[in-house]
Every structure is written in structure tokens, then in C-alpha cells.
Amino acid sequence: MRFASSCVTLALGFISTFSWAQNCPLLGPAYLAATDVASPAFIAAKAKFDDAVASSTQINKEKVFFAVEIYSSGSKDAGSIHRYYNTPPAQNGAVNVGPDTLFRINSISKVVTVYTMLSKLSYKYWHEPVTKYIPELANAQPQDVSDVDWSEVTLGSLASQISGISRDYALRDASSVLPAVPGLRTLKDSEVVRCGSGLLKPGPCSRAESMRYVLQTWPLASSYRTPNYSNMAFQLLAYAVESITGTPFQDLVTEQILNPLNLTRTFVTHPGNDSNAVVVDGWDIDFGDLDPGAGYYSTLTDLTTLGRSILNSTLLPALTTHKWLKPITHTSSLRFSLGSPWEILRESVPVTTTQTQTTETRRVVDFYTKQGGGGDSYTSLLGLSPDHDLGISILTAGKGSETTMLALRQLFVDVWLAAAEQAGRDQAGVNFAGNYTLGDGDNNSSLVVLSLQPDEPALMLSAMVSNGTDVLELLRGTTGLGGEPGEARLWFYPMGLVAGGDCRKRIAFRAAAGLAGRSADENCASWATGDRLRWGNYPADELVFETGPDGKARAVEVPVLGATLKRVGPV
């Protein structure tokens, strides 16, 4: 068969792409997120999750109060996938845990603080130095390695755990409880911490006391050099936002977050004697001005509403949400990065729950979390998987709460992320896989075939014929990538580009090239291969699906061919 020169160029361009990628998925969702929370994959996951909780030796059902919800970005009623509650049987007279039971959420308060700032100010002041907005820091000039260079500490660095400043200025400082320690230096009276230690007495520090201690702290590192956890960073961030807006920060949280989302059971100060609260050690600690870093209280219902609002960009423009749900820095762990203030777990998720190969094919999924608390008091988690529009809320309290929360978090990764991937895959098979032609009488002179293949991620393009010319012919054969055997294929991923309304949408997908049957190479670079080949600036690696009100594809546009083909049936 003779090929038009354009088709030869097209094929050679795709072959050159293989030098960059070996069936390497693009980062981001492999499919559109599943919309049916009652899909078979989710139903199976419920039973698997409940059985795992019941049999787990790490989840302390005898001593730990906990509440868990797995949810999608759908509405409150339609989006809840599964809930699980545990009230320890030996807790006579204790509250019976339910959706509106109150827990401390500790450091999840940091997410609320950044959310408040972004909803009010977006990223306008993100790169501004904190010295512009906190006058107590403006005149602090560094003289030695013991001094923070506050002029280099930005609001964004405070929100992202990369400011280089100390973890705390008073919390858990030993001088608050011990008059002296043998072998350690003798402290001046002004150096002894007399407030804000996290104890019930003497209570929190005033702003003046806080700032005096802040100015005494040593830097951990220079700003932006290495990540380090800091609670006091969020107190300073709240002070800066107050200065910019002229509004007390507690009022801003209420105005920007609590009221718009109707979070009637979330409190930015101590809620008092609440009849539906889990009260264990630590309930009454007053953090004062440190509350934006660790002081808030909430319920399963409200925490889920908060997480769902982030997935849906309810309070933020979608662009701001996309920017927020991205890493700011890595850590020394290959699987753990940090955002603002997200703790991002890089998980390896099976591409299907029904794999046929001995070795599972997996792809990377970034799981955005924020843990609150730890130890044997209150431990909580807000977790989001933007790839799947899926979230989890975990609230625990009691002896062994942290171990219990970590076990529940791992079950979300092992059970629910895999289920969400499978649910999206099943939905893609129904909505997009199939044969596409120019229509009746075309006799397959123009044809696109998309399918889901066992153990392979995303929608696979296995045929593309244009006016009788097999565009993929030169990609087939046994040479493959670098002489490796295998058939060249293209896998298509949704790119978040959608036009139209409920009745008709146009949804753009882009391709990653590779060899069928090959597991993804950890060193592949699919991010560098997109849009490498164009024809008059029409992308050769794009498909645009046209869907109806039921979400099913009616047709697919192939821009490089200048053709729109109708969906005529399954593969």
C-alpha cells in the first residue's frame, strides 16, 4: 500500500515519540470520574472495606471513637458513597458516634486557614514578605544564624511548610513545666515560656506575648531551602490576612467558609458543653491565636461538605483550585510531597481490579491529605483524590487514635482508590469505547476504534483509518520501542477541557504512546511527549468526543484528519 506523505510523516512522528515513553500514563485521571456512586465497583468496595475494618488489628474498635465517610463530588445526598461509625462498647454513657458528632480536627484547621485566605484574596499576596503585614517583624534584622530573615518569609511559604521558621514558639516547650534541667543552660526570666504551651494553664499567649517568643525562635533553615513542619506559621499567616483585610481572622473564616457552606457544626473556638461531642484528653485546650493552625472543631458531615466544596470549586474559581491542588515541594521520601498545606501521598493504583497478568499494571495517583493531631487524643484526616473526584473524612478520638486513623487511610488507598479507578474505567467503556465511522454507507473507509484492554490504563486506540489509508500501519510490527517487541498503540486521557452544557458537551482527550502489553517504565516521560506532532497546528494526538445528556459519546472529532466520526457500536 502506498501512503500519502502526510501519513508517513504522521507515523514517523509518533514513532519518535516512543523514544520518550513506554506505555507511560499521563499524570492525572485515566478516565472521567465515575458519576454513579452505586456502581458495581463501589458496591464491592463497601463490603471489602467493612470486612477489612472488622478484621484489622490496627483499628482499635474497643477504645477508639471514629467516624468515616467516603464521598464523591456529587451533591450531599447523591455524593455519599459509604459511612462507617464506631462507638467503643465499654464507653458507658458516652456519645453514640454519628454524622453530626463533634471532634477536634487539630491541624486540618490549616486547610481551613489557607482556604479562607484563597477565597478572600486568591494568590494576590502569596509572594509578599510577611514583614509588610506584621509590624512586629518588620524591624527584625538578622545578625547571626540564630536569627530569622523575616524579609525572605513570604505568605505562600508560611502556607506551604517551607518558610524555614521554627515549628512552635511556645507549644510543648519544656521550660513551661520544668524550672531547670541538669546540664542545660540557665534561662533568663524573659526566656522562660509562660503561656501557649498546650496545657490548660496558664492558657494561650496574647499577641504581644506570642510575638515576643516568635522573635526569640531560631530558624530551622533559610526560607524555601527545605520543608519543615510549622504550627506557628499559620498564626502568622492569619495575622497577615487580618492586616490585609482589616477583619479579625475568626470572622473571615465564618464569612468566607462556614456561612457559605452552611457548616453549622464547625467551630473556630471552643464549642462549650456540647451534648453530641466526643470528649477525651485535649478537648479543652485553648490555643488562642494559634487556632488557625490547630484549634478548630468539626463533624463528619461538615468535614465532608468542606472537602466536597474543594473538589467542586464551590468557593474558588476552578483555576485557583487546580493551582491549590498541586505540590509545592518534595520531601526526602520518594512518595511524599507537600502542598499548601497538603500532605501528598504518591500512590501506585492498579489500573483495574480484574487484572490477568501475574504482575499488576499500576499508575501514579496523587492523594491530597491533611492529617490533624496524633497520638492517643484526637487524630483526623481530610483526603482528596482529584483524579477520581473522590474524598474521605476520618475523625478519631481515644487511646490508639493515630494508629486507627493511619489504618483507615491505608484502606482508602487500597480499597477505595482502586474501586474508583475501576468505576471510572467501567463508565468509560460504556460511554466512549466503540467503533466510530463517517456513517451509513461509509464501508469503513474512515474508522476509529477505541477499546479498553485487559491490564492497560485508559482508552486504547487500536485503529485509525482515513479515506482508506491506515494511519497506524507504520506503528505496527515487531520493532517497537528501541527494538523491543510489541504493537505500538495510543492511550487517550481526559485533559479537563470541556465545552458545552448538559445537553451536549465536547470533551478533549490527549494520547500517550507506547507498546501494548508493556508495564509502565518508571523513567518514562510522557509529560514531554504531548503535542510533538501537528499538521497545520492541528494536534495529531487529540480526540474530541461529543456527548449527549446521558454522558455517552455520539461522535468523535479527529482534528488532524479534519473529520468527525459517528459512534456506531461497541467494539
Side-chain angles (χ1 to χ4, degrees), residues 321-337:
T321 302
H322 295 160
K323 186 174 181 178
W324 189 23
L325 294 176
K326 288 293 181 293
I328 297 297
T329 180
H330 300 301
T331 69
S332 54
S333 170
L334 290 174
R335 293 183 54 202
F336 194 90
S337 299

Side-chain angles (χ1 to χ4, degrees), residues 45-56 59-62 64-71 80-89 96-101 103 278 299-301 304 391-397 404 407-409 411-412 415-416:
K46 292 180 185 181
K48 188 174 182 180
F49 178 80
D50 288 354
D51 289 347
V53 171
S55 62
S56 174
I59 299 173
N60 192 334
K61 296 170 286 293
E62 299 299 313
V64 178
F65 299 85
F66 61 87
V68 183
E69 181 167 9
I70 294 91
Y71 57 91
S80 182
I81 299 174
H82 191 48
R83 285 179 173 178
Y84 193 107
Y85 306 105
N86 184 72
T87 301
N96 191 36
V97 175
D100 297 316
T101 301
F103 291 74
V278 176
T299 66
L300 191 70
T301 295
T304 292
I392 183 170
S393 301
I394 304 175
L395 296 168
T396 72
T404 294
L408 290 166
R409 185 185 74 181
L411 282 179
F412 178 79
V415 175
W416 291 103

Side-chain angles (χ1 to χ4, degrees), residues 125-261:
Y125 299 90
W126 198 255
H127 301 293
E128 297 278 6
V130 69
T131 50
K132 287 185 65 173
Y133 306 107
I134 300 180
E136 296 96 328
L137 301 178
N139 296 320
Q141 299 299 319
Q143 303 297 325
D144 194 10
V145 295
S146 60
D147 301 324
V148 176
D149 187 346
W150 292 102
S151 68
E152 294 184 347
V153 176
T154 65
L155 304 194
S157 72
L158 293 173
S160 308
Q161 305 287 25
I162 199 165
S163 64
I165 67 173
S166 176
R167 182 186 186 97
D168 296 295
Y169 59 85
L171 193 64
R172 301 186 184 90
D173 191 291
S175 71
S176 64
V177 293
L178 299 173
V181 175
L184 300 188
R185 69 192 299 165
T186 300
L187 297 177
K188 301 173 184 177
D189 185 70
S190 62
E191 294 172 332
V192 176
V193 171
R194 302 189 184 280
C195 59
S197 63
L199 302 175
L200 294 180
K201 294 181 179 180
C205 296
S206 66
R207 173 162 178 157
E209 291 171 321
S210 296
M211 295 311 301
R212 180 166 64 84
Y213 290 134
V214 164
L215 288 169
Q216 292 176 1
T217 61
W218 289 47
L220 184 139
S222 56
S223 191
Y224 285 99
R225 180 177 178 84
T226 188
N228 63 286
Y229 197 90
S230 176
N231 292 306
M232 75 180 198
F234 291 84
Q235 180 174 343
L236 297 177
L237 184 64
Y239 284 163
V241 174
E242 283 184 342
S243 176
I244 293 167
T245 62
T247 304
F249 195 75
Q250 291 179 357
D251 294 345
L252 276 175
V253 175
T254 301
E255 168 194 307
Q256 297 296 127
I257 307 296
L258 305 190
N259 287 346
L261 296 178

